[in-house]
Amino acid sequence: MAVDLVVRFLLGGTIVTLFALIGELVKPKTFAGLFGSAPSVAIVSLTLAFEKHGRAHVAEETRTMLLGALGLLAYCAICVVIARKEKAIWIGAVMAWALWACVAFGAFAAARAIGAPL
Amino acid sequence: MKPEVETSGVKEVAWWEHAIRFVFGGAISVGAGLVGHHWGPAVGGLFIAFPSILPASLTLVRRHDGKRKAIEDAQGARFGAIGQAAFASSALAMTCAGWPPALVLALATLAWCATSSALWAIVYGRK
């Protein structure tokens, strides 16, 4: 377990940094922003999931990843509003995680309630 | 408007700012793994679309380039989020079809890139 976590940390940090670096190498900023929502954690998690748990596990993760992406879209939309404020942007961006959670888990609960195969 | 490569932005970023992103990204990857371990792949899958890059990116862009650029960065991130849905749906389809894992992840990443870029081009490409 400890080795798994170390591998996750190193891989995750590397891939996040790589995508962020690509975002710094391109312009305009609206295009660079795409890389702020790159599937870095997904690439790491699914790579390890394929290795450890197999296809059925990966299929289940990617199904609910769709719902998490809905939360991410809401998060990005609120970040546009937050970026317009004068206050420290990182406070708003961190507080907006609560919005991500509400949308992602709300969609998850709704999908379960209607009997979606999750 | 067309995307271009510009290296000057990289030189402005200090090593410790890269380190913060690395630690942040690594910690969120670990967190997503722990959530999946405790609550199963259905809940774990939600967290692999957790906003991992954007908080640090927006802070750094605001610091180096100002408020206007941070707004633009966030506006672009919305297309990346929609692209993550393309990543997830294509990865799901290919996984269920039995394709090799490396191919699944490579093509799903391409799907993310193509979808995000196409959306960007539709909205900003003509400006």
Side-chain angles (χ1 to χ4, degrees), chain A residues 1 5 8-10 12-14 16-17 19-21 24-47 50 55 57-69 72-73 75-77 79-80 82-87 89-90 93 97 100 104-105 108 112, chain B residues 1-7 10 13 18 21-30 32-34 37 41-42 45-55 58-59 61-62 65 67 69-82 84-85 87-88 91-92 95 98-99 101 105 109 112 116-117 120 124:
Chain A
M1 178 76 180
L5 293 179
R8 271 182 195 276
F9 181 83
L10 293 174
T14 302
V16 163
T17 305
F19 274 115
L21 204 58
E24 278 154 25
L25 284 169
V26 297
K27 65 174 189 178
K29 266 291 177 254
T30 49
F31 188 76
L34 304 186
F35 298 92
S37 295
S40 352
V41 176
I43 290 169
V44 173
S45 293
L46 296 180
T47 299
F50 267 122
R55 292 182 182 284
H57 187 107
V58 170
E60 204 169 341
E61 283 197 328
T62 50
R63 274 189 204 101
T64 49
M65 184 186 169
L66 281 165
L67 304 178
L72 182 61
L73 179 59
Y75 178 88
C76 295
C79 278
V80 173
I82 290 166
R84 294 193 168 113
K85 305 294 179 195
E86 291 303 326
K87 292 191 170 40
I89 200 170
W90 68 270
W97 282 342
W100 173 87
F105 280 97
F108 182 65
R112 278 263 162 107
Chain B
M1 203 187 295
K2 285 193 320 184
E4 290 174 12
V5 175
E6 184 186 60
T7 57
V10 179
V13 182
H18 288 299
R21 279 178 173 154
F22 185 94
V23 170
F24 201 69
I28 289 177
S29 293
V30 167
L34 288 171
H37 180 74
L46 291 175
F47 280 85
I48 62 178
F50 186 80
S52 54
I53 305 177
L54 200 56
L58 286 180
T59 304
V61 169
R62 175 79 165 257
D65 302 311
K67 186 166 128 179
K69 295 292 181 192
I71 294 168
E72 290 173 4
D73 201 58
Q75 287 170 331
R78 296 172 301 180
F79 304 131
I82 297 170
Q84 284 221 21
F87 178 101
L92 174 61
T95 300
W99 291 22
L105 293 172
T109 304
W112 167 80
S116 311
S117 302
W120 180 88
Y124 294 104

